[in-house]
């Protein structure tokens, strides 16, 4: 995933065709590794893993897990059960985790109060609305459980940046919707969860000399205190 911020640095064109999420990941899946594969994802992963509660022995859901990056991390950290849900059959086909389920973020096929920790990384921006998916997370989280949600920071998208990927020499952008903090606060409160921690992460000028001091990644940790 590359944003315009980075494309500008490489002198690449600013306008590219934008695809709906399912179409985009159908094209992208075979080259989407289950590791952080650019500076933004490295920053996101470093930020999110710092906020991740202990998953050893827990039931973990990698929601919109794609090729399985966080499910693999949870498994390495000793999670008892790791389930990955994604609506893209193409992404699930390259995902090495055992328990993979094709489903939509807004209709999670798991029972209520059945998961200790949810990680939903870099996905909610693909949805026009976040309230239904956050409602589903609240439904399946056990009391005392946590949901970690990351996304491209609204500042990045609001300055016109897009999430892009290349197929050969053709660049494509993926549908992205901006969700401000106020939208998260509303959705989380309506779902009966609380926003426990929020981190807004900035790229380091040491590794990205053209980085600005604007945050590029936002990570929310939600808690089911019920
Ligand atoms: C940027 S990728 C991130 C994948 C993975 N979470 C990671 O961080 O490596 C976004 C993922 O969200 C999935 N996705 C997008 N919309 C979805 C929806 N409505 N329901 C389920 N998954 C969705 C895509 O198929 C894709 O795998």
């Amino acid at each position: 995933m590359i944003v315009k911020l980075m494309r500008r640095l490489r002198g690449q064109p600013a306008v590219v065709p934008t695809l709906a999420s399912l179409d985009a990941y159908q094209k992208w899946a075979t080259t989407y590794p289950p590791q952080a594969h650019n500076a933004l994802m490295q920053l996101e992963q470093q930020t999110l893993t710092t906020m991740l509660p202990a998953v050893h022995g827990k039931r973990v859901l990698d929601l919109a897990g794609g090729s399985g990056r966080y499910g693999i991390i949870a498994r390495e950290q000793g999670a008892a059960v790791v389930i990955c849900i994604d609506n893209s059959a193409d992404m699930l086909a390259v995902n090495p985790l055992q328990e993979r389920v094709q489903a939509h973020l807004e209709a999670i096929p798991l029972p209520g109060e059945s998961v200790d920790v949810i990680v939903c990384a870099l996905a909610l921006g693909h949805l026009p609305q976040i309230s239904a998916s956050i409602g589903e997370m609240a439904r399946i989280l056990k009391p005392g459980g946590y949901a970690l949600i990351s996304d491209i920071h609204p500042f990045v998208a609001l300055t016109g940046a897009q999430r892009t990927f290349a197929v050969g020499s053709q660049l494509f952008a993926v549908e992205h919707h901006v969700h401000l903090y106020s939208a998260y606060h509303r959705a989380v409160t309506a779902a009966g969860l609380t926003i426990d921690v929020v981190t807004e992460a900035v790229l380091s000028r040491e590794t990205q000399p053209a980085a600005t001091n604007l945050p590029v990644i936002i990570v929310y940790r939600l808690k089911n205190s019920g």
Side-chain angles (χ1 to χ4, degrees), residues 4-212:
K4 194 168 106 186
L5 189 71
M6 300 196 159
R7 283 189 288 123
R8 265 205 311 258
L9 306 177
R10 299 189 195 129
Q12 291 170 333
V15 178
V16 295
T18 300
L19 303 179
S21 172
L22 271 177
D23 297 333
Y25 289 102
Q26 184 190 26
K27 290 186 188 300
W28 198 352
T30 53
T31 57
Y32 198 108
Q35 293 94 27
H37 44 268
N38 58 51
L40 267 192
M41 287 182 86
Q42 285 158 6
L43 178 67
E44 181 267 352
Q45 187 169 311
Q46 184 189 8
T47 309
L48 192 149
T49 50
T50 304
M51 295 161 69
L52 194 63
V55 298
H56 192 271
K58 303 286 188 186
R59 290 176 61 85
V60 176
L61 172 62
D62 187 4
L63 183 58
S67 48
R69 181 165 60 115
Y70 280 106
I72 293 168
I73 290 172
R75 196 179 56 186
E76 286 169 356
Q77 293 187 3
V81 175
V82 178
I83 303 164
C84 182
I85 287 179
D86 201 283
N87 72 339
S88 165
D90 302 281
M91 289 296 271
L92 290 176
V94 299
N95 180 319
L97 294 165
Q98 216 166 12
E99 284 202 57
R100 305 185 304 271
V101 181
Q102 187 180 3
H104 197 285
L105 275 159
E106 294 177 350
I108 301 174
L110 293 177
E113 300 191 357
S114 61
V115 170
D116 296 291
V117 177
I118 301 169
V119 177
C120 181
L122 300 174
L124 285 194
H126 292 319
L127 302 184
Q129 302 291 337
I130 56 173
S131 51
S133 51
I134 289 181
E136 277 294 80
M137 293 185 213
R139 180 183 65 77
I140 63 167
L141 261 190
K142 291 183 189 174
Y146 291 92
L148 286 288
I149 301 174
S150 68
D151 215 338
I152 306 296
H153 197 285
F155 290 170
V156 175
L158 288 170
T159 52
Q162 295 169 295
R163 301 203 227 182
T164 62
F165 65 100
V167 179
S169 59
Q170 171 73 58
L171 268 186
F172 294 99
V174 192
E175 168 184 21
H176 183 83
H177 304 270
V178 173
H179 305 297
L180 298 178
Y181 181 86
S182 53
Y184 271 93
H185 189 272
R186 258 194 316 277
V188 169
T189 306
L193 301 178
T194 50
I195 296 176
D196 183 41
V197 185
V198 184
T199 306
E200 297 174 294
V202 177
L203 282 166
S204 155
R205 283 217 176 98
E206 276 170 34
T207 54
Q208 301 291 322
T212 69

